Amino acid sequence: MSNVMTPVSWLRGFGRPPRILGLDVARGLAILGMAGAHIGDTRTFDWGDPGSWTDLVNGRSSILFAVLAGVSIALMTGRSSLPERERLPYLRLSLVGRGAVIFVIGLALEMLNTPIAVILTLYGLIYVAVIPFLRWRPWQLLTAAAVLALVGPALLAFLAAVALHPFGAGIGFVLYGSYPITVWMALVLGGMALGRLHVERIRTAVIALGVGILLAVVGYGLGAAGAALGAVPSEPRAGESWSAPSGWAGYPEALAQSDPLQATIVAVFAVDPHSGGTAEVLGSGGFAVAVIALCLMLSRPLRWPLLPLGALGSMPLTAYSVHVVSIVLLVGPGGFFTSNAFWGVTAIGLMLGATLWSMFLGRGPLERLVGRGASAMAGILTWPVITGPRLDP
């Protein structure tokens, strides 16, 4: 059956089960937040200054995107049930194909030479990195996420300091980039656990909201404690450089290279956007879970006004790519600018365009491309499995 509906049927049916509108809404917020992080004119967050609250998009939007990636992977591979062993070959190859196409899209966007730290290359790798965890139970996923969040940042910082901050394409991409996959896997695995726990139920959303708020309080409280104790320098000292290693914003490069103990302590308390510290992973990860929970809870009573945001979230790859290309078209390759007005125009344009596309044409174009890549890869070795009676839809 075609995915394309008439406008009337779209208005009546979009976001209804088995699709989960709340997840689309959260994904739409992540896209708009990342657009704001790229082009928004924000200032340092201050609770007493509402004008600074737009700073919340920095770092947290990409973390929300990562948690949602984990939720989506869980839904694609069995929802609340663990995938059957007979189905694993198909699922593994499907994820590899999906990740490969997303990775190539990310590389193409990077070739446009914008100042944006494109997240899609990491996003593509995530689909491959989660393959060993497809049959893990929620408690196992949560345990692994907790270990990575608590131990990963400190261990990476210690190794970097001991090795005098090694560099290279692989090291920068996997360990110390803006999105170090070894730390960000904590967010993805946490999202997978949420996706396995009947994420469509209101009860799950209520519990997730409480857990998210608790994690946010712990994480940001840890960051505040670190700043109060002087564990994380808040401004450069005499003779110290602020050109910190990518992915570890907020502390001097010389410190990371010369003092393993201090670098490890900083990695625990670091809470700044894209710092990759334990405090950021817990705080912003909890923030992301709370946002997802709120979207799940509000998407039912507020379905109609949230449809444009849900439509945007149903085609995140297309929307993200259009946003990046729009910057290149406006200022040219390598150009950079900030404008809240353009951020607003981008938000309205993306929601309007996504709504019309979804209403008249169905799935987003890049989402279709990714789906075809997944099907092509899965069909290489698993034709007998795919057509087996246990896997018929």
Side-chain angles (χ1 to χ4, degrees):
M1 183 178 68
S2 172
N3 289 327
V4 182
M5 299 181 281
T6 65
V8 173
S9 62
W10 185 89
L11 288 171
R12 290 176 177 173
F14 180 80
R16 303 288 190 188
R19 191 165 194 96
I20 304 174
L21 179 60
L23 296 178
D24 285 332
V25 170
R27 214 174 283 115
L29 288 175
I31 293 294
L32 297 184
M34 285 190 286
H38 299 155
I39 60 176
D41 185 9
T42 62
R43 56 181 184 269
T44 304
F45 179 81
D46 181 0
W47 280 110
D49 180 11
S52 70
W53 291 1
T54 53
D55 184 56
L56 287 173
V57 301
N58 290 312
R60 297 168 186 85
S61 300
S62 52
I63 283 180
L64 174 59
F65 203 52
V67 175
L68 285 165
V71 176
S72 298
I73 290 168
L75 296 181
M76 287 187 293
T77 57
R79 290 190 172 241
S80 57
S81 301
L82 299 182
E84 298 174 344
R85 293 187 183 277
E86 295 87 345
R87 200 180 177 209
L88 284 179
Y90 165 72
L91 292 176
R92 289 165 180 161
L93 287 176
S94 177
L95 289 173
V96 170
R98 186 176 296 272
V101 176
I102 295 173
F103 186 85
V104 171
I105 294 172
L107 288 181
L109 293 179
E110 289 182 349
M111 289 294 292
L112 297 177
N113 192 27
T114 69
I116 296 173
V118 175
I119 196 175
L120 295 188
T121 46
L122 167 76
Y123 203 64
L125 281 185
I126 281 173
Y127 282 87
V128 179
V130 299
I131 287 176
F133 307 98
L134 292 182
R135 281 186 52 82
W136 282 33
R137 300 184 183 280
W139 71 267
Q140 294 173 306
L141 294 169
L142 290 174
T143 300
V147 171
L148 286 174
L150 296 174
V151 178
L155 179 60
L156 289 181
F158 178 81
L159 292 176
V162 169
L164 298 181
H165 199 74
F167 64 91
I171 289 176
F173 189 75
V174 176
L175 299 181
Y176 303 115
S178 296
Y179 310 111
I181 192 170
T182 41
V183 173
W184 278 57
M185 276 298 290
L187 305 167
V188 177
L189 294 178
M192 286 182 66
L194 179 59
R196 291 275 188 248
L197 293 170
H198 294 283
V199 69
E200 73 281 359
R201 297 179 179 175
I202 290 296
R203 180 175 180 271
T204 301
V206 172
I207 295 174
L209 178 61
V211 172
I213 292 175
L214 177 62
L215 286 174
V217 169
V218 171
Y220 294 132
L222 186 64
L229 295 173
V232 181
S234 57
E235 59 184 33
R237 303 169 187 157
E240 291 180 337
S241 167
W242 273 98
S243 56
S246 177
W248 293 100
Y251 69 95
E253 181 177 9
L255 185 62
Q257 293 182 354
S258 62
D259 190 339
L261 177 59
Q262 183 64 27
T264 304
I265 293 174
V266 169
V268 173
F269 291 101
V271 74
D272 291 337
H274 300 295
S275 64
T278 293
E280 188 203 11
V281 174
L282 293 177
S284 296
F287 179 85
V289 171
V291 169
I292 294 171
L294 285 173
C295 290
L296 291 168
M297 296 166 66
L298 296 176
S299 62
R300 296 187 182 185
L302 299 179
R303 177 179 177 272
W304 284 94
L306 291 177
L307 282 179
L309 198 54
L312 174 62
S314 72
M315 51 186 78
L317 298 178
T318 298
Y320 184 92
S321 301
V322 168
H323 157 62
V324 175
V325 171
S326 71
I327 296 176
V328 176
L329 294 177
L330 191 65
V331 298
F336 177 75
F337 75 105
T338 57
S339 169
N340 286 337
F342 185 63
W343 180 13
V345 170
T346 297
I348 294 172
L350 288 177
M351 285 191 289
L352 179 61
T355 300
L356 293 175
W357 185 285
S358 179
M359 185 179 291
F360 291 102
L361 298 173
R363 296 179 69 191
L366 292 185
E367 284 68 27
R368 293 186 186 189
L369 179 63
V370 169
R372 290 174 182 172
S375 298
M377 179 64 75
I380 292 176
L381 297 176
T382 57
W383 184 85
V385 177
I386 297 173
T387 57
R390 300 187 65 181
L391 299 182
D392 286 342

